[in-house]
Amino acid sequence: MKPVWCIFLLLGVTAITLGFRFLRNRQKARSSGIPYIVVPITSYQTVWYLTHGFFMPLLRRLPRRWTHPWIDLLSPGWPIKDHHRPFRMLKSDVILALSPFSLTLWIAHPQAATQVTSQRMIFPKDTQMYSVIELFDRNIVTTEGDEWLRHRRLTTRGLGDRVNRAAWREALNGGRDILSRWLGSDGKMVNLESDMMGLSLGVMWRAGFGMKRAESEIGPSKVPHRMSFKYAFEAVSEKLFLVTTIPHWLLARSPVESHRKAAGAFGEFERYVKELVEEKREKMAKGVDGEQMDVLGSLVQGAYRNPVGPGDDKLAPTLPTGSLTESELMADIFIFLFAGHEATASAMYYSILFLALNPLAQQNLQSSLDSLLSQRTLEEWSYDHDLPALLTGAAGAVMNESLRLMPPFMYVPKITRLGNGPPELTVDGTRMTVPDGCQVTIVLPALHRNPNCWPTEEGVEDDLDRFRPERWFATKGGAASENGNTTNPGLYRPPRGAFTPFTDGPRSCVGRRFAQIEMVAILAAIFLTHSVELSVSDFATDAGVEQMPSGGAERKEVWGKAAARARQRMPMGIEESGLGLISRDNRRKIGFRVVKRGEERFFGASVEPKGGC
């Protein structure tokens, strides 16, 4: 048979196979009772995710009548751009995306979200989605079943009250230190993203890992390191997809320089982690840490039956029931550093950005901080008294509203297992059958904008796309709703399942409390005495701004240009993010200034946006 006929035969068989799969999936969708939409491929399938940047511009050139309404849903970043719109279009908060390759259930309804997250055995985590963060080995994020329980049991033991108290103090000190650095650079923030990453990493390092030295001083090592711990860790994080999918020996020999750097950074980071573990074991053996268990101590204790003794320099883990292997220990250390500080840093970045875009909200936050803290020094702020007041006040509202609009992750991916029978969901009294073998995805940006769950300002279009911390002081229908997840007592409590930035149910984030404490502490440390403004240096010089009348039309115009550009650039990086974490590349293009309170230039010049934040 000629090669050309072989190609045609292969294409024919492929077309017939895809056709049968499509008909089978359509039959499942029709019998489920769930509204569905037909798409060529779901947005986060691996091959499409890697190639969509090439194909999407070509598809958008086709006539709109050929591609409507599915074209926008092919972008991996559609939830952060379209929010709740696809659900409104289909008039349902639970919809199926049907393609020849798969069935995907998209959820933006709190009842459905709660049923999915609370039934871990029926809707297990789609761990394949997280394989990109399996550095060294599987970890607490990428496991399920008994294997996950083993990781969970050991990690949660180290996140007690002592660690949370340490996080409070370290976050306050970190906020004060970063203010000093900003003011030392004449109030110019060169890279807010990097500053928040460094600050959050330092809090995790000192509070979560119990390290008294700076992360740049880790060691000692018999062989000098070629790069700092912070640099190695950030380089590995930036190139995580490469490091976890391509063999390291191949990366090291790649003709591409960035590949070789990623391989070198991985080798250095691996050495650092082993040294970190050895140092912790020696401290525990000598009784330096006593009974004060932290995250790292709990992990190390879970991997080694007996801490290393004096003169024993071997890392030889024993494996009693319920323990971690050495590679699993290293994997969990990485995931706490990566996910633990990255998510908090992302949330802090957007909190500050939203406040810079909304000066009135910033002033309201400062007034609240004045009433709570202004008569005392930072050293006098109390974990037992001041932290609860911050969590239930304006700082907590700012944190929650930022997490509502820009959660660290876009999706909560689950699956239904083939052969277990189709599970059911009950939504607003209607029973729906979820097809077996279906991907189940809670779409957080849509869920957090479900109009049936949130107080809105009457007559304001797209109010749920706006940053309004005051909505957390409102009640809907005259009473707060019960929420088993976690907004803070004293603030508005949306229906259970409507607000899940840390996910919900048994698989909820183990570091949720740690992150909440860190966020409100940093907000208080910065905004009690200082304000953050958008930089307008691309539109006017400092001298030019000073000559403009305060609160006048000229300042409003300049600030409006900076604000419009910031709003446009906010969601740009999302398409490049692996699991929904906001991409770093586009954050750096938004400039900020820090000034002492009373020296603000644009607090009277901001204008209400026509839409968005």
Side-chain angles (χ1 to χ4, degrees):
M1 184 180 292
K2 294 182 179 180
V4 67
W5 287 109
C6 291
I7 293 174
F8 278 118
L9 179 61
L10 180 61
L11 291 175
V13 171
T14 301
I16 292 171
T17 302
L18 291 178
F20 275 116
R21 287 182 178 179
F22 173 79
L23 293 175
R24 180 194 62 191
N25 288 342
R26 187 178 67 175
Q27 179 58 37
K28 287 183 177 181
R30 286 178 171 176
S31 61
S32 70
I34 302 172
Y36 67 88
I37 184 172
V38 177
V39 296
I41 192 169
T42 49
S43 58
Y44 50 79
Q45 287 181 312
T46 304
V47 174
W48 176 249
Y49 182 81
L50 295 174
T51 59
H52 76 277
F54 173 79
F55 287 108
M56 281 297 290
L58 300 178
L59 290 174
R60 291 191 184 281
R61 293 180 182 179
L62 297 175
R64 180 70 175 172
R65 66 180 182 275
W66 294 2
T67 60
H68 182 75
W70 50 262
I71 181 67
D72 293 330
L73 301 179
L74 296 188
S75 166
W78 74 261
I80 209 65
K81 296 177 180 179
D82 294 318
H83 305 149
H84 193 258
R85 184 185 62 80
F87 297 91
R88 291 199 305 268
M89 180 178 64
L90 291 179
K91 300 179 180 179
S92 175
D93 289 324
V94 180
I95 58 180
L96 273 170
L98 160 64
S99 81
F101 304 96
S102 65
L103 278 169
T104 301
L105 184 69
W106 287 333
I107 293 175
H109 195 290
Q111 290 180 1
T114 298
Q115 291 170 65
V116 167
T117 56
S118 62
Q119 301 180 83
R120 183 174 62 86
M121 303 306 293
I122 297 176
F123 297 99
K125 193 172 191 175
D126 188 357
T127 55
Q128 288 186 351
M129 287 280 291
Y130 292 89
S131 60
V132 70
I133 56 175
E134 286 185 348
L135 192 71
F136 303 123
D137 205 336
R138 290 159 64 82
N139 55 62
I140 186 174
V141 174
T142 66
T143 50
E144 254 297 353
D146 292 340
E147 186 180 6
W148 167 76
L149 283 172
R150 177 164 53 89
H151 285 268
R152 174 95 177 193
R153 189 178 301 114
L154 292 171
T155 52
T156 53
R157 190 175 58 184
L159 283 166
D161 184 67
R162 171 186 171 267
V163 170
N164 287 336
R165 288 177 180 274
W168 161 257
R169 185 51 54 190
E170 292 296 342
L172 291 177
N173 293 336
R176 178 179 56 189
D177 293 345
I178 208 165
L179 263 180
S180 299
R181 188 190 319 155
W182 287 341
L183 295 174
S185 61
D186 197 26
K188 296 178 181 178
M189 294 189 209
V190 177
N191 192 334
L192 179 62
E193 176 268 333
S194 178
D195 289 336
M196 289 298 105
M197 287 287 178
L199 174 54
S200 187
L201 179 61
V203 173
M204 175 59 72
W205 180 257
R206 288 182 287 273
F209 284 10
M211 304 304 291
K212 305 306 179 185
R213 294 170 295 148
E215 61 272 13
S216 59
E217 299 171 351
I218 183 174
S221 174
K222 296 179 181 178
V223 180
H225 285 281
R226 292 176 297 161
M227 58 186 71
S228 69
F229 174 83
K230 186 173 183 290
Y231 181 90
F233 170 69
E234 290 182 347
V236 169
S237 300
E238 287 278 3
K239 301 295 183 183
L240 192 55
F241 181 81
L242 289 175
V243 173
T244 55
T245 56
I246 301 177
H248 300 141
W249 64 265
L250 186 58
L251 274 180
R253 292 165 175 79
S254 170
V256 181
E257 184 180 4
S258 63
H259 293 183
R260 297 194 301 273
K261 286 184 177 179
F266 171 79
E268 289 291 291
F269 180 68
E270 183 178 31
R271 285 179 54 209
Y272 273 126
V273 172
K274 288 182 177 180
E275 291 167 9
L276 179 65
V277 169
E278 185 173 7
E279 181 176 335
K280 191 69 171 181
R281 290 184 69 199
E282 290 174 351
K283 282 185 177 180
M284 294 172 70
K286 295 174 182 177
V288 173
D289 287 359
E291 297 181 358
Q292 297 181 341
M293 185 64 64
D294 52 37
V295 176
L296 181 59
S298 180
L299 291 173
V300 169
Q301 193 177 72
Y304 300 90
R305 178 183 286 117
N306 297 309
V308 66
D312 183 1
D313 59 355
K314 296 180 180 180
L315 286 174
T318 58
L319 296 175
T321 302
S323 70
L324 298 175
T325 66
E326 181 180 344
S327 60
E328 289 174 331
L329 164 65
M330 295 170 64
D332 278 337
I333 289 173
F334 169 74
I335 208 63
F336 266 90
L337 286 171
F338 176 71
H341 99 281
E342 177 106 3
T344 305
S346 175
M348 282 306 309
Y349 172 87
Y350 283 107
S351 294
I352 293 175
L353 173 56
F354 288 138
L355 288 169
L357 282 166
N358 297 270
L360 182 58
Q362 190 171 159
Q363 289 174 296
N364 290 339
L365 169 62
Q366 290 168 331
S367 296
S368 174
L369 296 176
D370 286 342
S371 64
L372 290 173
L373 306 168
S374 64
Q375 302 303 314
R376 290 171 290 137
T377 64
L378 183 143
E379 288 75 16
E380 295 175 308
W381 297 0
S382 163
Y383 176 89
D384 295 307
H385 173 74
D386 295 317
L387 174 61
L390 289 171
L391 287 170
T392 59
V398 166
M399 174 185 69
N400 283 355
E401 184 71 348
S402 178
L403 290 170
R404 185 187 70 82
L405 288 172
M406 199 67 76
F409 295 90
M410 291 188 293
Y411 308 113
V412 178
K414 304 282 187 176
I415 55 173
T416 59
R417 299 191 188 279
L418 285 168
N420 286 358
E424 290 187 343
L425 298 175
T426 301
V427 178
D428 293 332
T430 300
R431 297 177 69 181
M432 300 177 174
T433 301
V434 182
D436 59 346
C438 179
Q439 294 174 311
V440 180
T441 303
I442 301 172
V443 185
L444 296 187
L447 178 66
H448 291 177
R449 290 169 171 83
N450 188 320
N452 297 316
C453 303
W454 300 94
T456 56
E457 188 174 350
E458 188 174 352
V460 177
E461 186 179 359
D462 296 327
D463 178 68
L464 290 175
D465 291 334
R466 295 169 181 265
F467 178 77
R468 285 205 312 112
E470 58 268 27
R471 82 173 76 248
W472 290 90
F473 296 105
T475 57
K476 191 169 183 177
S481 302
E482 187 65 26
N483 177 5
N485 178 32
T486 60
T487 58
N488 304 311
L491 299 179
Y492 170 69
R493 303 176 74 185
R496 182 182 178 123
F499 181 59
T500 57
F502 300 103
T503 73
D504 202 357
R507 294 290 317 230
S508 62
C509 174
V510 296
R512 175 174 58 203
R513 181 69 173 176
F514 188 101
Q516 289 174 322
I517 292 168
E518 181 180 347
M519 288 180 65
V520 296
I522 293 172
L523 286 172
I526 292 174
F527 287 97
L528 177 65
T529 56
H530 290 76
S531 298
V532 178
E533 296 185 320
L534 294 174
S535 170
V536 298
S537 58
D538 288 343
F539 308 103
T541 64
D542 288 345
V545 171
E546 292 302 321
Q547 293 175 1
M548 300 174 186
S550 180
E554 290 178 292
R555 288 201 185 189
K556 285 186 178 181
E557 180 182 2
V558 168
W559 186 90
K561 290 178 180 179
R565 184 175 64 178
R567 292 190 180 99
Q568 181 220 357
R569 289 178 173 175
M570 260 198 300
M572 286 173 59
I574 204 75
E575 291 201 29
E576 301 304 322
S577 59
L579 294 172
L581 278 170
I582 311 304
S583 171
R584 302 176 181 184
D585 295 337
N586 290 284
R587 296 176 186 166
R588 300 183 178 123
K589 297 178 181 178
I590 302 175
F592 302 85
R593 291 178 75 252
V594 153
V595 296
K596 292 181 179 179
R597 286 179 60 181
E599 297 179 4
E600 301 89 355
R601 302 183 301 174
F602 298 104
F603 267 25
S606 60
V607 292
E608 186 71 14
K610 293 181 179 179
C613 303

